[in-house]
């Protein structure tokens, strides 16, 4: 018997971690899709909202994920638009990761300071606008 016949192939091993990440994310989305965040008592309340009355950038994320799982993109965007963009960004990033892993190449994400500052600034603007009177349409 050759020594290579007992080992799993390299491609299968390279795809194990992306498959595990996908399973974890799918499990989380399945849970949020089955347990309605609109019913009180299932999920904890955002501490920032509870103690200050200020909506954080993540407020509405569970409602957004619930609507997204049920195919209601309009409700998902209304609950938390940046979260929907993050779901779609994850799907693209995960796909690139799988393709690169299958080819034996590492996934490299080279975000520079400009990218990170831009992302942070956009989230800050979103947070401020959703808490102002004219940004009420962004409240989940």
């Amino acid at each position: 018997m050759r020594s290579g016949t007992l080992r799993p192939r390299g491609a299968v091993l390279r795809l194990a971690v992306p498959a595990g990440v996908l399973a974890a994310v799918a499990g989380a989305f399945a849970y949020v899709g089955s347990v309605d965040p609109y019913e009180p008592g299932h999920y904890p309340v955002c501490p920032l909202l509870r103690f200050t009355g200020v909506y954080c950038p993540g407020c509405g994320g569970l409602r957004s994920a619930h609507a997204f799982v049920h195919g209601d993109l309009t409700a998902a965007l209304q609950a938390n638009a940046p979260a929907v963009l993050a779901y779609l960004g994850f799907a693209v990033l995960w796909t690139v990761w799988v393709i690169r892993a299958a080819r034996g190449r590492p996934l490299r994400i080279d975000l520079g300071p400009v990218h990170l500052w831009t992302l942070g600034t956009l989230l800050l603007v979103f947070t401020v606008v959703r808490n102002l009177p004219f940004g009420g349409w962004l409240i989940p």
Side-chain angles (χ1 to χ4, degrees), residues 85-135:
L85 294 175
Y87 310 149
L88 299 174
F90 171 80
V92 169
L93 185 62
W94 185 85
T95 303
V96 170
W97 184 18
V98 167
I99 291 169
R100 291 187 64 84
R103 294 178 179 170
R105 296 180 183 174
L107 177 64
R108 296 202 196 296
I109 303 171
D110 295 325
L111 294 177
V114 172
H115 298 105
L116 296 174
W117 278 102
T118 301
L119 181 61
T121 301
L122 289 172
L123 284 175
L124 181 63
V125 168
F126 171 74
T127 303
V128 169
V129 169
R130 82 186 317 198
N131 285 287
L132 293 174
F134 63 86

Side-chain angles (χ1 to χ4, degrees), residues 40-57:
H42 293 293
Y43 300 102
V45 177
C46 172
L48 184 67
L49 180 61
R50 179 180 213 148
F51 295 119
T52 67
V54 173
Y55 292 98
C56 76

Side-chain angles (χ1 to χ4, degrees), residues 18-45:
V21 168
L22 180 63
V25 170
F29 269 89
Y31 180 78
V32 172
S34 65
V35 179
D36 191 357
Y38 288 100
E39 294 180 18
H42 293 293
Y43 300 102
V45 177

